[in-house]
Amino acid sequence: MTQRYYLTTPIYYVNDDPHIGHAYTTLACDALARFKRLDGFDVKFLTGTDEHGQKVAKSAADAGVDPKAFTDRVSQNFRDLADALNFSHDDFIRTTEDRHKTASQAIWKAIAAGKSPKGNDNIYLASYPGWYAVRDEAFYSEDELTTGADGKKIAPSGAEVEWVEEPSYFFRLSAWQDRLLEFYDANPDFILPKTRRNEVVSFVSGGLKDLSVSRTTFKWGVPVPGDEDHIMYVWLDALTNYITGVGFPETDSGEYATFWPADLHMVGKDILRFHAVYWPAFLMGAGLAPPRRVFAHGWWTNEGQKISKSLGNVIDPVELVDKYGLDQVRYFLLREVPFGNDGDFAHQAMVNRMNGELANDYGNLAQRVLSMINKNCQGKVSEPGNMTGDDEGFLGTAHGLIGQVRDAMEVQAFHEGLEAVWAMVRAANAYIDGQAPWKLAKEDPARMGTVLYLLAETIRHLAILTQPFMPDASARLLDQLAVPEDARTFACLGPDHALKAGMELPKPEGVFPRYENGEKAEEGD
C-alpha cells in the first residue's frame, strides 16, 4: 500500500510582497515533498495566500483599489515566486476562493455545534474590549505589551496596538487548556524543534483566555454563519485552508480521507502559537483530528542586521537566483544553518559554499571522474574488476547513505541530511586522491577501470539523493551518467540498478560554476 504524506506551508499574508522568509519556508517544504515522492510516497503539498482581514482592507484602501483587486495582484506575486524557485506544490489556495469560504463556515458550524471539555458551548457571544495589532491580526493582553518612545503600546512583534471594543463571538479556548497539554504529552514530536515545544507548553500551562473569533468593524472576510454582522477572525479563516485543501467539509471520501491529518505544517516561529495552540483547539472543538506535526523554523538576518523595509535590506530571493543560480540558492538556504535556528545571510558565506562545496567538492569530483572515463575508457562506463575490502566498504557507504538522509529528513533536519551527503562527497574525493586513477591509467588499466566504476556509481547515488535540494543540477549529473528518467527514484539506489559496464556516456560538462570577483567563472575545473 502506498504511503501518504501531506505537508503545508503557511498561506502567506498578501499585505506584503514575497521575501526570503517566504521562500525559505516553501523551499523547506518543497525539498521534503520532492524527497518523499522519490521515496515512494503519494504526496500532497499545499501553499497559497491568506487574503482577508483588516490589514488587507486598509492596504487596499490606501492603494485606492478594492480588496479583491489588491489581493489578485499580490497573490500573483507569490505564484511567480513559486515558479521562480521551482517549487513543486500540488495546490495553491487563496482564501478568497468559494471552496475556502464553504470550508471556513463549515468548521465554524462544527465548532459551534460541539461542547468544550467543561460541557459548555465552544462559541458564545459577548463584548470584546482589548488591545489589537492590525499588522499581526492578533489580540494581546496587557502584560504582553511594552510602551514605545512615543507612548504607544507595542506588541511583542513590534507592531503598534490599538484599543478595540466591539461585540464579538468567543471561542472558549480556556476550557481546552488541559486537553491541549494532554495532547502535547501524548505526542512529544507534535512541535519541533524541542525548544519551540517547550515555549508552547509553558505558554499553555500559564493559563489560556477565551479567544475573540469575530469582528464587526470591517467586512473584508468570511461572514459568520447565521450572523452576517460579524466576519470570522482572520486566523480561524486562514488556518482552515489546511483542510480546505483536502476537500473539507467532505470528510468521508476524497483527499480528506486520504491525507488528513496533515503530516506537517511548516511555519515561521512568529506564528507558532496560532498553529500549535489555537489550531489544534479549533480542530478538537470541531471533532476533527489535529495535524501530526508543526515545525517552526527561525528567521534570517541580512549581514547581521534584522531584515526590514525601513532599513532597506529586504532580501529578494528572485534577485539572489538571478545573481547566483537557482540550485545554488536552494542549497545555501538549507545548508547554511541548522534548520529551526535563526540564520544570517551573507553574500560571502554564499560564495564560500558555492565555491568550496558545490564547485570544488561535488562539481570537481564529478568532472574529474567523468572526464577520465571520457578520456581513458572511450566514453563508456568502465568494467569493474576484483574489488578490495576497502572498495567494498567505500561502495557500501554509498549504498547506506539513503538511511542517514531519510532519518534526517524525517525530523526536518535538512542540514544534517546534506552533511551526510557531503561526508560521502569528501570520502569520494579522498578515495580518488588515494587511488590516483590518472597513474593507474599507465600502470594498471584494469584497476583504473574498477576505481572509476566505483566513483561513477557513487556519483550516481549522490546525484539521486541531491535531487530534492538541487533538482536541476542533479538532473544534469544524472543525464551525464545516462541514468534513465525512470531510474532516478530512491528505489533505484543500491546494486540492483547500478551502472552497466560498457554503457556510453555523453561528453561531460561542468555543473557548478565558481564565482569570482562578483561574476560566474568557469564551470568546474
Side-chain angles (χ1 to χ4, degrees):
M1 182 177 177
T2 302
Q3 293 179 281
R4 317 291 184 176
Y5 197 85
Y6 180 32
L7 73 164
T8 71
T9 69
I11 51 173
Y12 300 116
Y13 205 44
V14 296
N15 199 61
D16 297 308
D17 284 325
H19 53 68
I20 196 169
H22 303 121
Y24 188 50
T25 312
T26 315
L27 169 57
C29 280
D30 179 69
L32 186 55
R34 288 174 183 272
F35 186 93
K36 289 291 184 179
R37 292 188 193 109
L38 289 165
D39 212 13
F41 285 72
D42 181 8
V43 172
K44 171 87 173 180
F45 171 20
L46 177 72
T47 188
T49 46
D50 172 14
E51 303 181 19
H52 288 138
Q54 185 176 359
K55 184 165 60 172
V56 170
K58 182 178 184 302
S59 294
D62 291 346
V65 297
D66 68 82
K68 185 62 168 62
F70 178 81
T71 57
D72 285 346
R73 176 183 64 79
V74 184
S75 181
Q76 186 59 49
N77 292 343
F78 283 90
R79 285 185 181 272
D80 293 343
L81 174 70
D83 291 341
L85 272 72
N86 194 16
F87 295 148
S88 62
H89 52 283
D90 301 291
D91 193 359
F92 187 102
I93 192 168
R94 298 181 60 185
T95 57
T96 48
E97 296 176 41
D98 288 341
R99 61 169 171 160
H100 182 67
K101 294 176 184 177
T102 298
S104 296
Q105 292 187 324
I107 196 174
W108 179 285
K109 291 176 183 178
I111 295 170
K115 296 291 185 180
S116 81
K118 298 188 182 300
N120 42 17
D121 292 341
N122 276 322
I123 292 179
Y124 62 93
L125 182 63
S127 177
Y128 187 85
W131 294 103
Y132 188 74
V134 174
R135 194 182 82 186
D136 299 343
E137 297 285 9
F139 289 98
Y140 293 97
S141 61
E142 185 81 35
D143 59 6
E144 292 182 282
L145 305 178
T146 56
T147 303
D150 56 3
K152 293 181 178 179
K153 298 284 188 180
I154 305 296
S157 65
E160 289 185 4
V161 297
E162 59 187 35
W163 186 257
V164 172
E165 294 189 38
E166 60 181 304
S168 176
Y169 286 95
F170 283 78
F171 173 68
R172 209 177 297 274
L173 183 64
S174 60
W176 289 92
Q177 177 177 337
D178 290 343
R179 189 70 59 83
L180 284 169
L181 291 172
E182 290 168 7
F183 176 73
Y184 302 148
D185 188 56
N187 299 275
D189 291 332
F190 171 65
I191 303 166
L192 288 181
K194 296 294 186 184
T195 53
R196 304 291 176 220
R197 180 185 186 278
N198 296 340
E199 291 171 9
V200 169
V201 170
S202 175
F203 172 76
V204 175
S205 298
L208 295 176
K209 297 179 180 178
D210 292 351
L211 182 68
S212 171
V213 288
S214 76
R215 301 295 305 278
T216 59
T217 53
F218 61 96
K219 295 297 182 184
W220 182 241
V222 178
V224 167
D227 191 346
E228 295 204 354
D229 289 338
H230 291 250
I231 64 161
M232 291 172 58
Y233 174 43
V234 68
W235 271 104
L236 175 52
D237 161 3
L239 290 163
T240 301
N241 93 90
Y242 301 129
I243 52 176
T244 304
V246 288
F248 185 81
E250 175 54 57
T251 59
D252 295 330
S253 62
E255 287 197 322
Y256 186 97
T258 300
F259 287 108
W260 194 263
D263 294 276
L264 176 68
H265 292 329
M266 184 74 74
V267 303
K269 65 180 184 180
D270 54 323
I271 55 174
L272 176 59
R273 183 185 301 180
F274 301 101
H275 286 80
V277 181
Y278 302 164
W279 181 226
F282 291 153
L283 288 166
M284 291 176 186
L288 304 173
R292 293 190 173 98
R293 177 171 299 161
V294 177
F295 193 105
H297 65 73
W299 291 337
W300 283 89
T301 53
N302 186 354
E303 307 281 356
Q305 284 189 310
K306 183 178 179 181
I307 295 174
S308 73
K309 285 184 178 179
S310 60
L311 291 175
N313 66 346
V314 173
I315 300 172
D316 183 339
V318 176
E319 290 180 1
L320 286 183
V321 168
D322 290 342
K323 183 177 180 66
Y324 295 120
L326 174 55
D327 281 357
Q328 286 83 347
V329 171
R330 290 173 61 100
Y331 174 78
F332 176 80
L333 291 178
L334 293 176
R335 174 75 163 133
E336 180 68 3
V337 296
F339 196 72
N341 293 3
D342 291 340
D344 183 49
F345 181 87
H347 286 274
Q348 190 56 53
M350 178 151 189
V351 169
N352 291 344
R353 291 276 186 194
M354 288 166 52
N355 288 348
E357 295 181 345
L358 294 181
N360 290 353
D361 292 348
Y362 191 19
N364 192 39
L365 168 68
Q367 186 76 348
R368 293 163 81 189
V369 171
L370 294 174
S371 294
M372 281 187 279
I373 290 174
N374 181 261
K375 178 181 177 182
N376 299 306
C377 304
Q378 295 77 52
K380 297 178 182 179
V381 176
S382 54
E383 185 76 40
N386 294 328
M387 288 196 289
T388 67
D390 287 345
D391 294 339
E392 291 174 351
F394 173 69
L395 192 57
T397 302
H399 290 164
L401 188 56
I402 176 59
Q404 297 179 60
V405 181
R406 186 184 284 129
D407 288 347
M409 297 297 278
E410 197 59 35
V411 290
Q412 291 74 61
F414 302 99
H415 60 292
E416 291 182 9
L418 283 168
E419 175 53 31
V421 170
W422 247 256
M424 190 71 232
V425 170
R426 292 190 293 268
N429 277 312
Y431 180 80
I432 193 173
D433 289 341
Q435 296 294 324
W438 50 89
K439 292 183 180 178
L440 293 172
K442 297 177 180 178
E443 300 169 2
D444 190 346
R447 177 61 187 164
M448 175 202 70
T450 299
V451 169
L452 291 179
Y453 179 86
L454 292 174
L455 286 162
E457 178 62 6
T458 297
I459 293 167
R460 181 181 75 90
H461 279 72
L462 293 170
I464 288 175
L465 283 168
T466 52
Q467 289 176 102
F469 311 100
M470 300 178 289
D472 293 341
S474 300
R476 288 174 64 191
L477 278 175
L478 290 166
D479 288 345
Q480 292 184 54
L481 289 166
V483 176
E485 292 281 349
D486 62 357
R488 299 183 178 188
T489 68
F490 297 161
C492 298
L493 295 167
D496 291 345
H497 296 268
L499 297 172
K500 298 292 188 291
M503 187 169 58
E504 248 183 88
L505 302 183
K507 184 178 179 181
E509 296 178 353
V511 172
F512 297 108
R514 289 182 58 79
Y515 209 89
E516 296 174 357
N517 301 319
E519 298 293 339
K520 287 182 183 178
E522 74 279 3
E523 302 263 338
D525 282 350

